Amino acid sequence: MKFSEQWLREWVSPQLDTQALADQITMAGLEVDAVDPVAAAFDGVVVAEVLEKIQHPDADKLNVCRVEDGSGEPVQVVCGAPNVAVGQKVPFARVGAVLPGDFKIRKATLRGQESRGMICSASELGLEEETSPGILELPADAPVGEDFRGWMGLSDHTIEVDLTPNRGDCLSLKGMAREVGVLNRLTVTCPDVQPVAATHDEIFPVRVEDAEHCPRYIGRLIKGVDVTAETPLWMVERLRRSGIRSIDPVVDVTNYVMLELGQPLHAFDLANLHGAVVVRLARVGEQLVLLDGQKVTLTDGTLVIADERGPLAIAGVMGGEHSGVGAETRDIFLESAFFAPLAIAGQARGYGLHTDASHRFERGVDAELAREAAERATGLLLQITGGEPGPLVEVASHEYLPAEQRVHLRATRLEQALGKALPAEEVTEILQRLGMAVDVDDQGWRAVAPSWRFDIVIEEDLIEEVARIHGYNRLPVRRPQARLELRPDHEAHTPLGRLRRQMVARGFYEAVTYSFVAPELQGALLPEAVSPVLANPISADLSVMRASLFPGLVRALEHNLNRQQTRVRLFETGLVFRGELDDLQQLPMLGALVCGSREPEGWSANRETVDFFDLKGDLESLLAMGGEPDVWRFEPAEHPALHPGQCARILHRGEEAGWIGTLHPAVRARLGLKLDVVLFEVRLDTLTHGHVPAFTPLSRFPEVRRDLAFLVDEHLPVQALLDTLRGQAGEWLTESHLFDVYQGKGVPEGRKSVALGLTWQHPSRTLNDEEINQLVDAIITESRQHLGAELRG
């Protein structure tokens, strides 16, 4: 909404300068976007009268004029404007005047003729952005010699307000004046709008077929208007300062009343109306050429103004070209209506339009304003264009008009919301100044919202009104109070975020796949899995809940391989679903998949592909984060999706926690994968559960190390040998590790040599050889008896 400060001050004029007024409006919740002068800076321009005009003797397009500028002696000036004429009142820049752009007027000689000044156009004075076709003609009663800037009131500002959608009542000068009056406790002086007496009885029939969307329609026939009449300069200026261009007196009046009162109006050429004006919904296939020349095909559900032959306008948006007022118009039908906001909302955008009328109707227009606006427009039209008005025709359906809004405001709720107790008299006064009828009761106030405040519906609306009129800057500042405590850091718990970061640090990308998968894919990887089947899947290949993360990861792998990504490293966390609905287990899991080369492509990298132990190393880095690597075990087992010789069950404290292995060749062939794929999944709760590390004093005494090489069956897991020696090595064993596995010359067929390094250290004394030898003998004996291991000579 853009309006002139001078125009506003004719309605209500607080003792505030321009910036203070703008600040006050902003603090009341109506944000001022810009305050700009209505004209560029200039001086030395007066009102003058053209006394004489003769053709320049040496130039076809120039005239030599004599003008009276109030100085007492006519001034000669050369003018090239085609519309200059004797008797005109014009703006005249005297010698020494400075025009916009720092253009100074000096005496000049043009083709041998002296010129002392310049007759100005609107663009030369900064009143129009585009170049004016001729000089600016002033009204005949303009006072000669008067300072043009002062006479035109150009020391004015336009104030542009960015209104929220609920404040459609302020999309008019009347609405803004109401607000300023309330804020400053001033009376608003409104134009005196009197009913216009009809001079003839002729009416044009109106039929409303959709009363729900158009509860009130008012029309008036005005005969004998002069469309060629000139719109008064004061009206043209007010329109310009509000961002609207003058077109013709009829259109200018409807725009002016819309800006002044907030009610959009429309005028039809009576000669183009047939039968009756009909307010109805558009019919499928109907077309309309709009005022801007655009031809649109109307959609079902669009509210239109039509006659007996077809649509004339899109209701509340834009009129049609063939029924609009033109130069030949003599009789008009003036429309003033109330359209329900929901009937107009979105209609303009649906046709790629946005008009001043649709902007207002979408946000809501005062349902009681239509008659006043019609009377105001009629009076202005009669002043400017003349004519003979007929009686107002009104079609109203009161059951569809907005109901009176009664809202209860509790004193306790108001104090709680504002953080401040306001005197009851002040609250009552604020509500009454806002135009509400107020009754005071024991609990607070019962207010009846005025017809223009259609946004007041609930108690919070009244609280907002009281707060902004009282002044937001007068409310107490209270910072929110909260007891902020440090979140406990459970050191025995490894957060999921740390696990994710660890995987990313090892070169993995996180995948997020659907919780439902293709039954064929899950059947290929987990033939015995049982999981819920979706009753209404989004597609046939996403119809069962996943019983493992494997199907989603394999599908993501296929997607990447199909896009020439030959090295893939993915991980995912999420729930898997096992069992039927009545006995469903939802387990959080972490899974990973690798495929392709071990290292990224590079000049120093080899081309070896990943294998089981590469992914096992990545998994062990996660297991170590819990601080208890000894509680994890990998044991050979068979899984339907994994290679029998490259597969292991993952145990946590002796219980199954997941699987790791290479994808079974048969499954890989069935899925059409040409590269080896290694993958694992493990229960997330076992990964996040850890151990709080504790400090152990460092021993000051020397370590003792023994290396033992055993010959064992080639199929014996090294873990079994490690478990045996740890059971016999005693409490002072500090480290045991595998450092060599050998098969070949010197080792019998079917056997392998396993070399282990053992380290002991006592916390308070030096261990002697006899103690260590006893422990070594116990290890050798136990390994021979239970594992068939022999000490290698």
Side-chain angles (χ1 to χ4, degrees):
M1 173 64 185
K2 183 187 290 188
F3 59 91
S4 160
E5 179 187 356
Q6 277 185 4
W7 191 11
L8 175 69
R9 289 187 183 275
E10 291 183 11
W11 291 62
V12 57
S13 186
Q15 298 300 312
L16 300 170
D17 62 22
T18 302
Q19 189 57 52
L21 177 62
D23 293 342
Q24 185 185 64
I25 294 172
T26 295
M27 288 304 298
L30 310 174
E31 183 179 357
V32 173
D33 270 356
V35 177
D36 298 312
V38 299
F42 63 86
D43 60 32
V45 180
V46 298
V47 176
E49 181 179 0
V50 180
L51 301 178
E52 183 180 300
K53 166 191 168 185
I54 61 174
Q55 178 69 45
H56 193 293
D58 297 320
D60 294 338
K61 295 184 178 181
L62 296 179
N63 297 298
V64 180
C65 302
R66 292 174 61 247
V67 300
E68 174 60 53
D69 66 348
S71 62
E73 182 180 348
V75 179
Q76 178 172 301
V77 62
V78 177
C79 178
N83 63 327
V84 66
V86 175
Q88 282 179 337
K89 299 290 181 65
V90 295
F92 177 68
R94 291 169 171 168
V95 173
V98 179
L99 300 186
D102 200 26
F103 176 62
K104 190 171 183 178
I105 303 299
R106 296 180 173 85
K107 289 183 181 180
T109 301
L110 301 177
R111 297 286 183 92
Q113 297 294 320
E114 183 183 50
S115 181
R116 292 183 293 149
M118 185 173 77
I119 302 176
C120 301
S121 66
S123 59
E124 289 167 338
L125 296 174
L127 302 180
E128 289 183 359
E129 293 184 3
E130 299 179 358
T131 302
S132 303
I135 61 172
L136 176 62
E137 299 181 46
L138 304 181
D141 60 354
V144 173
E146 188 81 14
D147 178 72
F148 177 77
R149 189 177 188 89
W151 178 73
M152 285 283 290
L154 295 179
S155 297
D156 185 16
H157 296 85
T158 59
I159 300 176
E160 186 172 359
V161 181
D162 185 13
L163 298 171
T164 52
N166 65 312
R167 293 310 305 272
D169 63 296
C170 290
L171 285 169
S172 66
L173 194 75
K174 184 177 183 179
M176 293 303 305
R178 273 194 304 251
E179 287 293 304
V180 175
V182 170
L183 294 170
N184 295 280
R185 291 181 168 84
L186 295 176
T187 302
V188 178
T189 303
C190 301
D192 185 18
V193 180
Q194 296 294 333
V196 177
T199 59
H200 63 83
D201 296 332
E202 188 175 345
I203 63 172
F204 196 79
V206 174
R207 186 170 73 250
V208 178
E209 295 182 356
D210 192 342
E212 182 179 358
H213 291 154
C214 180
R216 172 169 283 144
Y217 190 93
I218 292 176
R220 166 174 271 160
L221 182 61
I222 304 177
K223 303 179 66 177
V225 297
D226 181 9
V227 180
T228 63
E230 186 175 349
T231 303
L233 183 60
W234 62 267
M235 182 178 287
V236 172
E237 268 299 289
R238 287 181 175 178
L239 291 173
R240 181 186 73 83
R241 297 178 194 189
S242 299
I244 295 180
R245 181 173 58 89
S246 174
I247 298 175
D248 63 55
V250 175
V251 175
D252 291 348
V253 165
T254 58
N255 285 334
Y256 181 83
V257 174
M258 178 184 68
L259 290 174
E260 183 181 64
L261 303 180
Q263 172 69 51
L265 304 167
H266 188 67
F268 296 96
D269 187 340
L270 183 64
N272 294 321
L273 302 183
H274 300 275
V277 168
V278 184
V279 184
R280 60 173 174 82
L281 294 179
R283 302 185 180 107
V284 177
E286 285 186 319
Q287 294 185 329
L288 177 65
V289 179
L290 300 173
L291 283 173
D292 62 358
Q294 178 184 354
K295 186 176 183 180
V296 297
T297 300
L298 300 173
T299 58
D300 188 25
T302 299
L303 188 67
V304 297
I305 310 300
D307 62 7
E308 299 296 350
R309 299 204 303 186
L312 303 171
I314 301 177
V317 179
M318 185 180 287
E321 185 178 55
H322 80 278
S323 63
V325 174
E328 304 300 322
T329 300
R330 293 294 175 265
D331 305 323
I332 65 171
F333 179 78
L334 182 65
E335 167 195 279
S336 180
F338 171 71
F339 301 113
L342 291 179
I344 308 301
Q347 293 293 342
R349 287 187 294 277
Y351 294 102
L353 303 171
H354 180 78
T355 64
D356 291 326
S358 68
H359 186 74
R360 286 163 172 79
F361 278 124
E362 286 177 346
R363 285 154 178 77
V365 173
D366 184 357
E368 304 299 324
L369 187 60
R371 178 174 288 271
E372 179 185 356
E375 297 287 9
R376 176 64 167 159
T378 302
L380 291 172
L381 283 170
L382 296 182
Q383 291 177 24
I384 300 170
T385 66
E388 301 175 1
L392 284 178
V393 176
E394 179 175 0
V395 178
S397 300
H398 295 282
E399 66 271 24
Y400 293 119
L401 287 170
E404 194 176 66
Q405 294 292 341
R406 298 177 178 270
V407 185
H408 186 211
L409 173 60
R410 295 166 293 166
T412 54
R413 179 71 182 92
L414 179 65
E415 181 178 353
Q416 178 188 23
L418 302 187
K420 177 180 181 180
L422 298 183
E425 298 78 11
E426 180 181 354
V427 177
T428 302
E429 182 200 13
I430 289 174
L431 296 178
Q432 289 175 340
R433 282 172 21 223
L434 287 165
M436 303 183 194
V438 182
D439 291 327
V440 182
D441 59 22
D442 295 338
Q443 294 184 329
W445 302 265
R446 295 187 181 274
V448 179
S451 60
W452 62 84
R453 290 307 302 271
F454 31 79
D455 61 310
I456 295 179
V457 179
I458 58 177
E459 185 178 27
E460 284 70 18
D461 297 329
L462 291 181
I463 293 173
E464 179 185 4
E465 293 302 301
V466 172
R468 69 185 190 85
I469 301 303
H470 175 73
Y472 290 126
N473 53 349
R474 296 173 59 192
L475 297 178
V477 177
R478 293 185 179 179
R479 294 178 175 82
Q481 297 181 357
R483 296 184 61 187
L484 302 179
E485 298 180 355
L486 293 175
R487 295 177 60 184
D489 184 8
H490 302 288
E491 294 184 59
H493 178 79
T494 304
L496 177 58
R498 284 188 57 196
L499 297 173
R500 285 173 167 158
R501 288 192 293 272
Q502 175 69 7
M503 293 298 287
V504 171
R506 296 185 72 87
F508 286 80
Y509 291 91
E510 184 171 10
V512 180
T513 66
Y514 285 114
S515 296
F516 21 89
V517 296
E520 299 81 8
L521 178 60
Q522 182 152 288
L525 295 170
L526 307 163
E528 298 180 359
V530 177
S531 63
V533 179
L534 299 180
N536 296 295
I538 59 176
S539 65
D541 58 349
L542 296 172
S543 59
V544 297
M545 303 301 291
R546 64 187 179 192
S548 167
L549 297 180
F550 287 171
L553 289 171
V554 169
R555 184 66 72 200
L557 170 67
E558 293 175 341
H559 183 85
N560 281 271
L561 293 178
N562 290 338
R563 285 155 182 81
Q564 293 81 46
Q565 299 300 312
T566 58
R567 184 177 187 270
V568 180
R569 298 171 70 85
L570 300 173
F571 80 96
E572 181 177 15
T573 62
L575 292 174
V576 300
F577 308 87
R578 296 172 181 171
E580 300 291 351
L581 282 176
D582 54 354
D583 186 26
L584 184 64
Q585 285 185 301
Q586 301 183 58
L587 303 175
M589 305 290 284
L590 185 149
L593 173 149
V594 293
C595 176
S597 61
R598 176 174 292 141
E599 298 178 5
E601 185 178 4
W603 66 270
S604 63
N606 56 44
R607 297 186 179 182
E608 295 178 353
T609 59
V610 292
D611 58 21
F612 175 89
F613 296 103
D614 290 312
L615 188 61
K616 183 171 180 285
D618 295 325
L619 175 58
E620 287 177 332
S621 74
L622 295 180
L623 306 184
M625 294 177 69
E628 293 183 297
D630 294 338
V631 303
W632 294 91
R633 292 287 186 274
F634 294 85
E635 67 175 23
E638 292 188 3
H639 186 283
L642 304 178
H643 194 298
Q646 300 179 35
C647 171
R649 179 186 286 110
I650 305 169
L651 301 177
H652 178 259
R653 300 186 186 278
E655 296 184 1
E656 182 179 317
W659 290 86
I660 182 172
T662 304
L663 196 63
H664 198 291
V667 175
R668 183 161 56 84
R670 182 176 174 183
L671 298 176
L673 300 174
K674 298 180 180 180
L675 301 175
D676 282 337
V677 180
V678 188
L679 60 174
F680 77 74
E681 72 171 348
V682 61
R683 278 173 41 199
L684 200 54
D685 58 338
T686 60
L687 287 175
T688 56
H689 179 76
H691 172 71
V692 179
F695 174 72
T696 301
L698 299 178
S699 175
R700 296 184 293 111
F701 298 93
E703 295 178 342
V704 179
R705 170 166 173 150
R706 294 287 190 272
D707 293 339
L708 302 177
F710 292 98
L711 292 174
V712 297
D713 186 87
E714 63 180 347
H715 299 296
L716 180 73
V718 173
Q719 187 65 52
L721 191 59
L722 287 171
D723 291 342
T724 299
L725 68 86
R726 286 169 183 166
Q728 301 296 320
E731 58 180 319
W732 304 319
L733 181 70
T734 58
E735 184 181 0
S736 60
H737 65 275
L738 171 71
F739 67 85
D740 183 56
V741 176
Y742 172 74
Q743 284 183 284
K745 186 177 180 181
V747 175
E749 188 176 351
R751 306 280 278 181
K752 64 182 176 183
S753 171
V754 178
L756 305 173
L758 308 176
T759 302
W760 288 269
Q761 187 177 33
H762 199 283
S764 58
R765 64 181 177 85
T766 301
L767 295 172
N768 56 48
D769 288 343
E770 183 179 349
E771 293 173 310
I772 298 302
N773 290 336
Q774 289 178 356
L775 295 174
V776 171
D777 291 341
I779 291 171
I780 296 173
T781 302
E782 186 70 16
S783 300
R784 181 185 299 113
Q785 292 177 354
H786 291 88
L787 303 177
E790 297 291 339
L791 194 64
R792 184 179 176 188

